[in-house]
Amino acid sequence: MDRRRDMFGRKKKHIPERKNILITGASAGLGEGMARTWAAKGHNLALAARRLGNLETLKAELLAENPSIQVEVAELDVTDSEAVREVFTRFDDSLGGIDRFVLNAGLGKGASVGSGKSWANAQTAEVNVLGTLHQAEVAIELLRGSNRPGHLVFISSIASRRGMLGAETTYAATKAFVTSLAQGIHAEQSRRGSDIVVSTILPGYIDTDMTTQNQSPLKADFDKGVASLVAAIDREPAQAAVPSLPWTVVDPALRYLPEPVSRKML
């Protein structure tokens, strides 16, 4: 079989090497897991988060295990647009160009709307909506300005497919924004014939500190979730739900089945 084509005879997608990867929200959870996985694969990393101490510890561990790579870290509040610009630009200079931006920073806190805890919902909205927008603005500018191919990855959520209940109401709404923003940028870059590839990744339930209260039988363990997440991003799809089983089946069901039926899947 022609190695340039798949088993169905379709031309295989050429994926450039993404040597230098920037990850926000990298101090814990899925961000940290992705950093460890890509470090083991020999990628240079630029890691940002609010908790600089966690990042410094992670950097030391990554370099001890993978001495041939470069790791840069920086404290970053993604709701500060100027800080995002400064940190992303500094990372871009330090690594000689970022090839893949993984916009992973986000909050999962929240409360039922009207319960008197509007501050928690406001913080979630600010980080997940404005923070993602600030990151996307700078990432696109840097990639366009360098005139090189690049990969822009939005970490959304399967929760973006349906309005959620209680503490997850605001979170799901913010992730719907992330999904819509990513799809719009993908369409624009495609229309331009740009070399910037845009991916929307929709994690389902994965066992992290953010999901400790979730008892869904569909929740994947952390290692499986991270492996699925990295594998999906490396394929550079326009969109992917992870882990693929069961979420590639559940995802369309959430969008098209009547609400009382789809609700039972969450």
Side-chain angles (χ1 to χ4, degrees):
M1 184 178 73
D2 186 342
R3 293 183 181 275
R4 294 169 297 179
R5 296 185 180 273
D6 64 19
M7 62 184 295
F8 300 106
R10 297 173 299 199
K11 189 175 181 180
K12 289 183 178 180
K13 176 182 177 181
H14 171 68
I15 300 177
E17 181 184 19
R18 311 297 187 186
K19 183 64 176 176
N20 302 327
I21 302 176
L22 184 155
I23 309 169
T24 59
S27 62
L30 297 179
E32 179 185 346
M34 287 187 283
R36 292 186 183 279
T37 303
W38 276 316
K41 293 174 177 284
H43 294 271
N44 299 319
L45 298 171
L47 308 177
R50 291 186 180 187
R51 293 176 287 185
L52 182 59
N54 288 21
L55 290 178
E56 294 284 5
T57 299
L58 177 59
K59 175 181 178 179
E61 292 175 2
L62 294 178
L63 291 176
E65 296 167 1
N66 312 279
S68 65
I69 69 171
Q70 182 177 350
V71 180
E72 302 291 334
V73 299
E75 182 177 2
L76 177 62
D77 176 356
V78 296
T79 67
D80 184 338
S81 61
E82 290 307 311
V84 171
R85 182 172 301 281
E86 190 277 325
V87 168
F88 277 28
T89 301
R90 173 154 46 93
F91 280 157
D92 198 57
D93 291 340
S94 296
L95 293 183
I98 300 297
D99 304 308
R100 173 181 288 158
F101 292 82
V102 182
L103 311 189
N104 173 68
L107 281 183
K109 65 169 63 176
S112 295
V113 174
S115 66
K117 296 180 179 179
S118 61
W119 58 270
N121 291 327
Q123 286 180 1
T124 296
E126 187 175 16
V127 171
N128 295 359
V129 173
L130 292 180
T132 301
L133 185 57
H134 294 331
Q135 294 173 77
E137 293 274 9
V138 179
I140 291 284
E141 288 179 26
L142 288 171
L143 289 171
R144 282 182 181 164
S146 67
N147 196 31
R148 66 177 183 273
H151 188 203
L152 178 58
V153 182
F154 291 82
I155 304 298
S156 184
S157 171
I158 204 73
S160 69
R161 298 308 201 187
R162 276 286 187 184
M164 303 289 280
L165 306 178
E168 294 184 275
T169 299
T170 298
Y171 173 77
T174 64
K175 287 301 187 177
F177 170 86
V178 172
T179 296
S180 182
L181 177 69
Q183 290 172 340
I185 294 173
H186 175 272
E188 181 177 359
Q189 298 307 311
S190 296
R191 178 172 291 184
R192 288 171 176 264
S194 170
D195 287 332
I196 301 173
V197 178
V198 181
S199 296
T200 309
I201 306 298
L202 306 164
Y205 300 132
I206 298 172
D207 190 13
T208 65
D209 289 343
M210 190 182 292
T211 63
T212 53
Q213 301 302 315
N214 187 297
Q215 301 301 316
S216 171
L218 300 180
K219 185 161 67 173
D221 69 55
F222 180 76
D223 290 340
K224 177 182 177 182
V226 169
S228 297
L229 186 59
V230 168
I233 293 171
D234 283 344
R235 291 194 298 271
E236 303 194 359
Q239 184 171 287
V242 298
S244 58
L245 289 177
W247 295 106
T248 53
V249 176
V250 174
D251 180 31
L254 291 177
R255 285 180 283 164
Y256 301 120
L257 288 176
E259 195 274 341
V261 178
S262 64
R263 176 67 55 201
K264 296 178 181 178
M265 300 178 181
L266 296 172

